[in-house]
Structure formats: C-alpha cells, structure tokens
Amino acid sequence: MTNTDLYLRRVEGIIAHHGHAVQYVGGDPDTGAPPFAYTVGLHTRPDRDYELAVSGLRAETSQALLNTLSAAFADRDLAPADGLEISGILQGGLAIRLRPVSRPEDLGIIYAIYRTTPPVWQALWPDQRGHFPDDDRCRLPLQAQALL
C-alpha cells in the first residue's frame, strides 16, 4: 500500500466520522500562490451536491471557516448560488460571498476518493471594510486570495 493510499484511507475515516474532511494545500512561496482548502465528502450528504473551498487563509482558519459555513448551510437550509452572501460566519458582522470554482477537477482528493467531481463553491472573504476581491475598493492585495 502506498503513502497515497494510506492518506486517502485516513481522509475516508475522517469523512466517516465527521461527515466530511477539510483538505488543506499550502501556498507556494516561490510563485506567491496562496494556500487554499476545500471540503471532501460534503456532497455525499443528503440535500448536498457540492463541496466548499476557501483561499488565502491558514490551515486552522480555513478548517474552522469551512466547517462553520457547512453547518450554516444545513442550519439555514441554504443552497449555494453565485454571489450569495452569508452573514454571521465571520467576526465583526462581515459576510462571506460565494462563487463557483472554475476548475473543481483541480481539487484532486475529491476525485481520488469518489471518482467524480461535484460543483465546488469558493467562499470569498472581504477586507476589513467588507469589500470583496472583485470590488475596486477592496484593500486586500491581489495575491492574498486566489480565485480558484
């Protein structure tokens, strides 16, 4: 059994226990690519046909955000949609905005386990004044949050 097989079994165990796992991918200091994270297994739950992702945050922050966002979708009976803003997730009353991930097949652990790639929705986080990366008034550097 390869290290990859062992890792996938570990992820499958987390999914079996918690309903989904969060896969974190560290950034690349050579290229300046920020880190990102995504859920694995969420799409197998009833009434969910998607996964969630976030970019530019540390591992612990990414995991907490994706877990909280996942719970908010279930608790509020929400369905993801392009531009949907969800409040009550971030401190300070700031909202999260969703956008579809343009190449969900690049999130390889999902495919490695399920041999399919469901839609993936990226949670964009705003700057301190509530402006998102696609807003000219946003004060976040362009490289802070890659659009997946």
Side-chain angles (χ1 to χ4, degrees):
M1 185 172 291
T2 68
N3 285 342
T4 300
D5 293 332
L6 291 171
Y7 182 76
L8 293 176
R9 281 193 176 174
R10 181 172 170 242
V11 173
E12 288 170 333
I14 293 168
I15 295 166
H17 188 260
H18 296 285
H20 70 273
V22 174
Q23 175 66 41
Y24 185 77
V25 180
D28 184 346
D30 292 336
T31 65
F36 63 95
Y38 57 95
T39 61
V40 181
L42 194 62
H43 76 279
T44 64
R45 291 182 177 183
D47 300 324
R48 308 243 183 135
D49 61 352
Y50 57 87
E51 299 288 346
L52 299 170
V54 67
S55 173
L57 301 173
R58 295 184 324 227
E60 300 81 19
T61 306
S62 296
Q63 183 173 12
L65 176 71
L66 292 173
N67 288 337
T68 301
L69 186 58
S70 172
F73 270 95
D75 294 345
R76 300 178 193 183
D77 196 28
L78 296 173
D82 193 10
L84 175 67
E85 291 190 14
I86 304 166
S87 59
I89 304 294
L90 300 176
Q91 293 179 352
L94 297 173
I96 289 288
R97 180 184 295 162
L98 294 183
R99 66 174 294 278
V101 170
S102 61
R103 294 187 42 86
E105 62 274 10
D106 289 345
L107 309 179
I109 298 299
I110 300 168
Y111 186 83
I113 292 175
Y114 296 104
R115 297 293 183 225
T116 187
T117 305
V120 180
W121 293 89
Q122 182 175 0
L124 298 176
W125 43 274
D127 66 13
Q128 292 180 342
R129 297 181 310 148
H131 301 295
F132 291 95
D134 59 351
D135 186 331
D136 291 339
R137 297 173 292 172
C138 183
R139 297 210 175 170
L140 295 170
L142 290 176
Q143 67 275 18
Q145 185 174 188
L147 299 180
L148 302 174

